[in-house]
Structure formats: C-alpha cells, structure tokens
Amino acid sequence: MAASNTVDGAPGTAQAWSPRLALLVAATFFMEFLDGTVLTTAIPNIAADFRVPAPDINITMTAYLLTVAMGIPLSGWLAERFGARRVFCLAIAIFTIASLACSLSQDLTALTLSRIAQGFGGAMMVPVGTLVVLRGTPKAELLRATAYLVWPGLLAPVLAPLVGGALTTYLSWHWIFLINLPLGAAAFLAALRLVPAGAGDGGRRLDWLGLALTTLGVGALVVGLELASTHPDAPWAALSAAAGAVALACAVLWMRRARNPLFDLGVFSTRTFRAMATGGFAYRLTISSVPFLLPLMFQAGFGWSPLHAGAMVAAVFIGNIGIKPATTPLIRRFGFKAMLVFASLASAGTFALCALLTADTPEPLTFALLVCSGAFRSIGFSAYASVQYADIAPAQLTSANVVSATLVQLAAAAGIAVGALLIRLFDGLGAFPHDAAGPFRGAFLAMAVLMLVSTADSLFLPRHAGAEVSQRRAQRA
C-alpha cells in the first residue's frame, strides 16, 4: 500500500512513506550485500576455470568490498547534485550490467574489473536508496521503514554460503551473477515507477579535498583490515590502517573548516546518532564476526561437513526472521535504551554460550542457542538503524545517511578481521590445548567482552532517547 503520510523531502518536492518503495530499496540492498560474500563457496570452481591458484580469487572479493566502501562518500553528493531518483536508477543499471560482465569474464583480470564496476553501483545503491526512503518517512513511521531496510544486512551474510554453494554445485559459478539480471531489471523498472522524482541542486559544489581524504582513508582502513585477516604477520596491515586513520583525521579537520564540506559533521553532536558510531559500531563489529566464526568452528573445530555447518548456521536466519514482527512493538513498549541494553547483553551471553559448545552438544540445543542469537541480533540491528535518525534534522539527513553507511561497511570488515586475528591469537597462545575448537572458543569469549562496550554506551543514553520515533512517551501519556 503506498502512501499514507506526506512529508517534505528534497527541496521543492513532496514525498510519502511507501512500504513498496522501502521493500524495493531493501531488495537492492540484499543484492549488494549478498554479492559481497557469495563468491566464497565458488572460489575453487572459478580458480579451476581460470587456471589460477584459489587464493588469487580473493582479489575479486576484496576489490568489490573496497570499491563499495570507497564509493559511499561520493554517493551523498551525487544524490544532492543530480537527484536521488536519477542516481538510484543509474546505480541499479550499473550493478546489473556489471553482473552480466562478471558472468562473461574469461580471466581473473576481467572478473576483477567487472567486480569493481559492480561495487561502484552497489556503493550508490546503499546510501542513496536509504536516503530515498528516509526523506519520505515521517518520524512516527521510521520504525516501520527501517524494519524493511534492516533485513538485508541480517540475512545476506547467513544466506550467502548456502546460495553460492547451491548455485555452484547444481549450475555453475556464473549463475551467482546471472541471477542479478532479472532481479536488476525488475528493480530498475520498479524504481522508475516508485521513486519520487526530484530535481538536483545544480549549484551544489563538490568538496574535492574532503572527498579525496575520506576516500583514501576509508580505502586504506579496509585494506588494512583485509590484510590483518589474511596476512597478520606482515607489517602492511598496520601501516595501511594507520595511514587510513591519519587520512580520516585530516578529513575531519578539513571539513570542520571548509565552506561546503563533503559531510556536515554536526551530526555527531546529536547523541542518538553518535550512539551508532560508538556503541553501534562495537555492536555491528561483533555481530559481523558471527557468520565468519561459526562455520569455521563447526568445520575446523567439530569436524562437520560444510553442508552440516551451513544448515546449523541457518538457525541464526530463523531467529532473525522469527523475531522481526515483534521488534517494532518491543521498541514501542520499552523504548530504545532498554532494548539496546537488552540486545547487547543478550548477544554477549549467546557468544559466551557458543564458546561452551562441543561436537557432543545435542544439536537441538545448539540450534536453539543460535535461533536466540539471531533474534537478539535482529532486535539490536533494528534499534540502532532507527534511533540513529531519530533526532537528525532534515537538512542533515544526507550527511547522517552517508556517514552511517560508511561506518557500517567498516564495522563489517572489522568484524571479520578481528575474528581472524583472535583465532590466530588464541591458537598461538595455546590457551586451549588438545582442543581443535579452542581458538574459536577464545574468539567467542573475547567478542562477548567486546559486545559489553555497546552495553556500556547504551546505558548512558537518555531515558527517552528517540521517543519521537518509538512513540513510547506518547503511549505512556
């Protein structure tokens, strides 16, 4: 059902909250998130076709994730300069055409270049699609809107191994990209119909220095995190991460003084938005490590087959979906602060319990634990996705959206990198001798402690944080 509430969007336009539009944007997000990790199970087949070592294929995944992360900062300016509808449709077209090019690639170079193009399209789809939805959503409907937008980030990491494995086993790795063609075409046509038209700001100037510093900083950080997870003994990971941090610090200093900065850093003065960048970053980092740690523990630690491990990890997906209808009522009933504290504490508890699992643990008990973990994960994701925009002024929406999307990408990359480092750390310490799953137990316990950073940050939120969105105060009045 389309519109129900009309609000001001871009200058000179009126937009309305539309569930169909939110669902369209969520579907494009799902394609983008899924393609970030779906190649993992197809690496041996692609390597065999291209006659290259399997580790060399990792460059296609890194190139995609790096391009997405580096392209996000530019997307906000493009949406304001040329209009969100035009940029969003262009992003879908680029992503779809690049997917076709990926499927037709005859060597590793062609696949890598096609993945870079695909990543650029994905970089525009993520924040611009969100902006399109947020501009047309009044605060009272923000919880409903974000409920649509959260599910791709929850489901894609869990489903990627299953989808990639099924397509590679029963068809070929090319179908990982070919399935994007009908989906992309349908999304493009739907976008032309559902996304409100709005003129861009022809006088909007680009902050070239801010863009260069931000893009280089984000790119160097992502590269550093990737190297930390794959080559932890080399000095390049630390050097790259340090260079990225310096570049981002310079970007902040510049944008505080620039007349037309790339981002309005004033968004960080809003406590509910800042929660996304502090406790929310720790929450996303730890949560992002779970789809990485669990399958490895089940296979390398318990000796399970990939299919067995994948089927068990699907329990997280069931928990995500099962709790979804209840997340909005729970937030409206108890408020953002209480639910963020609960979600982080409960997630920390499930991480600690995962560290106690063994190959002899009854599988129904393991399955139930992972269902609960998925449910708590879903509550936290939904709460952070909504509260971050609760007190943001309309003029700051574009900046808040792009900054949030960038931090989400960094948190996802950091989750995998930190998880891999923790496994190596506990393996080297020999803290769990004669236990093949020992390093994973240590990693889960460390992640449980790290999750408490999110809990501590949430405890300092105001009691009625985001009340205009949760409507809790109105309900109690």
Side-chain angles (χ1 to χ4, degrees), residues 24-398:
L24 165 65
V25 173
T28 61
F29 288 4
F30 186 78
M31 288 196 299
E32 188 269 320
F33 291 147
L34 189 69
D35 276 43
T37 54
V38 73
L39 272 188
T40 303
T41 52
I43 283 177
N45 299 70
I46 298 174
D49 280 2
F50 291 166
R51 298 179 182 176
V52 298
D56 290 359
I57 304 299
N58 285 330
I59 192 175
T60 63
M61 296 178 61
T62 301
Y64 177 85
L65 295 173
L66 184 60
T67 307
V68 170
M70 295 178 68
I72 286 174
L74 178 61
S75 64
W77 178 82
L78 288 172
E80 290 193 342
R81 174 64 177 80
F82 299 102
R85 180 176 186 263
R86 185 179 300 170
V87 174
F88 184 60
C89 290
L90 177 64
I92 296 173
I94 291 175
F95 187 88
T96 305
I97 294 171
S99 296
L100 176 61
C102 288
S103 70
L104 298 176
S105 298
Q106 299 298 309
D107 55 44
L108 184 58
T109 300
L111 180 59
T112 303
L113 292 175
S114 299
R115 288 284 279 173
I116 290 173
Q118 193 186 37
F120 183 69
M124 291 189 291
M125 283 199 303
V126 172
V128 175
T130 302
L131 182 63
V132 167
V133 174
L134 294 178
R135 277 182 173 172
T137 304
K139 293 291 178 69
E141 298 288 354
L142 190 58
L143 271 173
R144 289 183 62 201
T146 53
Y148 285 87
L149 300 178
V150 162
W151 67 265
L154 291 168
L155 304 189
V158 179
L159 292 182
L162 294 175
V163 172
L167 291 173
T168 303
T169 301
Y170 298 108
L171 295 171
S172 73
W173 65 265
H174 304 83
W175 283 93
I176 290 175
F177 302 107
L178 288 173
I179 60 172
N180 288 332
L181 302 187
L183 296 176
F188 183 83
L189 294 175
L192 290 176
R193 179 180 179 183
L194 296 176
V195 178
D201 180 4
R204 174 72 171 169
R205 301 183 63 181
L206 179 60
D207 175 13
W208 288 100
L209 181 57
L211 176 65
L213 290 170
T214 304
T215 302
L216 289 174
V218 170
L221 273 179
V222 172
V223 169
L225 291 169
E226 285 285 316
L227 291 175
S229 62
T230 56
H231 302 87
D233 299 327
W236 306 114
L239 290 173
S240 181
V246 170
L248 289 178
C250 291
V252 169
L253 292 174
W254 164 255
M255 283 188 277
R256 282 180 174 175
R257 303 177 61 181
R259 294 183 59 186
N260 296 291
L262 184 66
F263 308 133
D264 177 5
L265 297 179
V267 294
F268 286 105
S269 64
T270 303
R271 180 63 180 92
T272 47
F273 181 81
R274 198 164 64 248
M276 175 277 304
T278 51
F281 188 88
Y283 186 88
R284 288 182 180 275
L285 186 156
T286 51
I287 288 297
S288 297
S289 71
V290 174
F292 171 75
L293 292 173
L294 275 177
L296 284 178
M297 185 173 75
F298 289 153
Q299 294 177 69
F302 295 179
W304 291 1
S305 69
L307 181 60
H308 189 179
M312 185 61 72
V313 174
V316 178
F317 159 78
I318 294 174
N320 289 337
I321 292 298
I323 197 65
K324 212 76 195 85
T327 53
T328 295
L330 284 171
I331 293 171
R332 292 200 189 282
R333 173 66 178 83
F334 297 103
F336 282 110
K337 179 177 179 176
M339 295 315 300
L340 287 173
V341 170
F342 169 76
S344 56
L345 275 178
S347 295
T350 60
F351 290 171
L353 290 173
C354 282
L356 301 178
L357 295 175
T358 69
D360 297 325
T361 302
E363 290 193 10
L365 188 61
T366 301
F367 194 86
L369 172 62
L370 298 187
V371 168
C372 292
S373 179
F376 303 145
R377 182 174 187 253
S378 183
I379 292 171
F381 262 69
S382 298
Y384 273 118
S386 300
V387 76
Q388 65 183 338
Y389 299 115
D391 303 311
I392 290 294
Q396 294 180 310
L397 189 56
T398 299

